[in-house]
Amino acid sequence: MRTWLSDQVKRRLGTFGLLVPSIAQCSVGAALAWIVAVHLLGHDHPLFAPISVMICVGVGLGQRLRRVVELVLGVSLGVGIGDLLVSWIGSGPWQMALVIALAMTVSGLLNSGELFVSQVGSSAVLVTMLVPGADSGGLDRMADALTGGIIGIVAVALLPASPVTIAGKHLSGVLDALSTLLEQAAEAIEKGDMDLAAEALECGRRTQTAVEEFAAALENSREIIRISPLRWHHRARLARYETAAVPVDLALRNARVLARRTLAALGEANPPPAALAESLREVSEAALLLQLELGAGREPMLARQALLAVAARERPKNLGFSANVALAQLRSIAVDLLEATGMDHDAASAALRPLDEPSGESVRG
């Protein structure tokens, strides 16, 4: 119990560490946007300035530049429709419902972007309910939105998160999932345990979220480097993560198929040999090596050498159908991870021992 709590605390602290730059960007940026709008633009109630900073910065999502454009356009449309309708029908609950419906309908026809539509609707709400008649006008609110958006971008540029830390943490999640899945399949083969194989398959089916989070983290990291000159020196390290992105996704997909065929193979007359489990473990360890070397900013040569050694192993004899499929998936995973280390596809494929060569008694030969 104590170990589990310790692991949970460490995981939460690690996740919080990634959010600290965004928290600083939001809090400092919102305060600055308010100060600029009040003291430089002369606006008494610049609600949209700090709101714009929050939307622009977000907490870990990319496409901030696009969000600034959508924010300003959304505020403009929402304020315009809201001001026009309020001047005709006044303000109140039913007027608010009508204004929101009309504003979001128009915005949805013009642009299907979720932020754009929601911003139009929220702008219409503020115009209708919060400050009817007392506000300084639509142009001031548009200026506040633009001010907040610009300051949000500046906050990201001057208080940037580490793009390689963001990408590295999320790639670790993918490679940890891959390594664990291969380890579980290896244990199931060694013990001849179909329940363990079924558990591995079930765990494998939950791994796609890690891939999607890594893709979002990469986009966020690319944007940080584009916006912030302070992080331009991370371009080469981030390029290694970008090289690994598609191959590790494919490797994890292949590992899920391998887990499924492992479960089937354990129910056949010729179950997978223990040597196959050993090779699974070697690929699992290579995935962790890849994680460590990329995290350290090194070319992943040790991981590549480990994978090349597995790729050169001979094919075991007398495998059943499902075991043969599992072996084919293991070969595919080795190629995927070799590509993740920076090898091109042809060179990675050529490293595999041809299946039509005479085989030894085991995967290790």
Side-chain angles (χ1 to χ4, degrees), residues 45-236:
H45 304 286
L47 297 177
F48 281 105
I51 289 173
S52 298
V53 173
M54 300 293 295
I55 294 175
C56 174
V57 173
V59 281
L61 298 175
Q63 301 181 349
R64 291 185 178 92
L65 295 175
R66 178 181 175 182
R67 271 193 276 176
V68 171
V69 174
E70 289 190 350
L71 180 69
V72 175
L73 293 179
V75 168
S76 302
L77 183 59
V79 166
I81 294 175
D83 279 341
L84 181 63
L85 291 178
V86 166
S87 67
W88 289 350
I89 62 177
S91 61
W94 72 266
Q95 290 95 333
M96 178 181 68
L98 179 60
V99 168
I100 292 173
L102 291 177
M104 295 187 75
T105 297
V106 172
S107 64
L109 293 174
L110 294 176
N111 186 320
S112 60
E114 181 178 346
L115 172 64
F116 182 76
V117 175
S118 63
Q119 187 57 53
V120 170
S122 61
S123 301
V125 170
L126 291 174
V127 170
T128 308
M129 301 303 297
L130 293 183
V131 284
D135 198 80
S136 54
L139 290 177
D140 286 346
R141 280 176 288 222
M142 291 165 56
D144 290 340
L146 180 59
T147 299
I150 292 174
I151 289 178
I153 294 296
V154 172
V156 172
L158 298 182
L159 300 169
S162 169
V164 294
T165 299
I166 294 171
K169 179 175 176 61
H170 288 85
L171 178 61
S172 293
V174 178
L175 292 175
D176 281 342
L178 173 61
S179 178
T180 299
L181 182 52
L182 295 175
E183 179 66 30
Q184 289 174 325
E187 184 178 1
I189 290 173
E190 288 177 339
K191 295 181 178 180
D193 191 328
M194 294 186 68
D195 289 337
L196 284 176
E199 183 181 340
L201 178 57
E202 186 60 31
C203 289
R205 287 171 174 162
R206 298 194 295 265
T207 56
Q208 189 59 32
T209 300
V211 175
E212 294 168 358
E213 289 176 351
F214 175 46
L218 263 184
E219 177 59 31
N220 188 28
S221 298
R222 292 189 194 102
E223 186 182 59
I224 290 171
I225 286 180
R226 284 196 300 269
I227 293 173
S228 177
L230 300 177
R231 298 300 188 188
W232 286 352
H233 64 285
H234 284 158
R235 287 172 176 168

Side-chain angles (χ1 to χ4, degrees), residues 247 304 307-312 330-354:
R304 183 180 301 172
L307 291 163
L308 288 172
V310 175
L330 180 61
R331 289 164 60 87
S332 295
I333 293 169
V335 171
D336 294 332
L337 292 180
L338 282 170
E339 290 184 56
T341 69
M343 289 184 69
D344 62 53
H345 179 75
D346 291 340
S349 298
L352 292 173
R353 190 183 188 96

